[in-house]
Amino acid sequence: MSALRKAQIQYDNLLPPPVSEDDLAEIQWLEANAENLIRGSVVSWGIRADRGEVSQADLYKAVQDHVNQRQIDGEDKKDALGQLVIAALGYSTSSLMMDMAIYLLGSKTALKDIALELLKPHAAKAVAFQEEQDRLEQRCGF
């Protein structure tokens, strides 16, 4: 077997780096709360001075900024924003609305990606807060 073939086999069998439990908890928090945010919930964590949240207003602004930037970059070659507004007023089919919204965002996953980006800076703190709450509940017997 050639050295190149051996190297290819070794490369093909590489495993991804291990994921720590902390990283896994953050990933799970991000996934769950990105979906909650998209569905209209406010995502919050902490208490009093350590309290934080990401609201629908934050998501709306981030989506608007994303769509505006795509238009500035010349990505809206179909005048999709105009089509979307007209469709939302009831002058077109709802499938056109979805198609134009996805086109403006750039992909079907862009909305979730935007929600994840809004939440990422807060994941470690939110998970640490939840773990502390869980420990307190166990101690108190809840």
Side-chain angles (χ1 to χ4, degrees), residues 47-120:
I47 55 174
R48 296 186 187 95
D50 288 334
R51 182 166 164 68
E53 72 176 29
V54 176
S55 68
Q56 284 298 290
D58 297 322
L59 181 60
Y60 297 155
K61 171 120 178 51
V63 168
Q64 182 170 310
D65 291 346
H66 176 79
V67 170
N68 285 342
Q69 189 59 54
R70 286 183 45 82
Q71 288 189 310
I72 290 167
D73 294 343
E75 298 292 326
D76 184 3
K77 297 180 183 350
K78 297 180 180 181
D79 297 323
L81 186 58
Q83 290 185 54
L84 186 61
V85 169
I86 291 168
L89 292 170
Y91 294 103
S92 189
T93 64
S94 63
S95 65
L96 175 66
M97 287 176 50
M98 183 180 294
D99 292 345
M100 289 300 107
I102 291 169
Y103 176 79
L104 282 170
L105 287 169
S107 71
K108 286 184 175 182
T109 61
L111 182 59
K112 185 172 183 180
D113 295 341
I114 292 167
L116 287 168
E117 286 303 312
L118 281 172
L119 295 170
K120 272 183 189 175

Side-chain angles (χ1 to χ4, degrees), residues 18-35:
V19 176
S20 73
E21 284 189 33
D22 290 340
D23 291 341
L24 185 57
E26 287 180 27
I27 290 167
Q28 289 171 337
W29 183 88
L30 283 167
E31 289 291 325
N33 285 292
E35 289 296 324

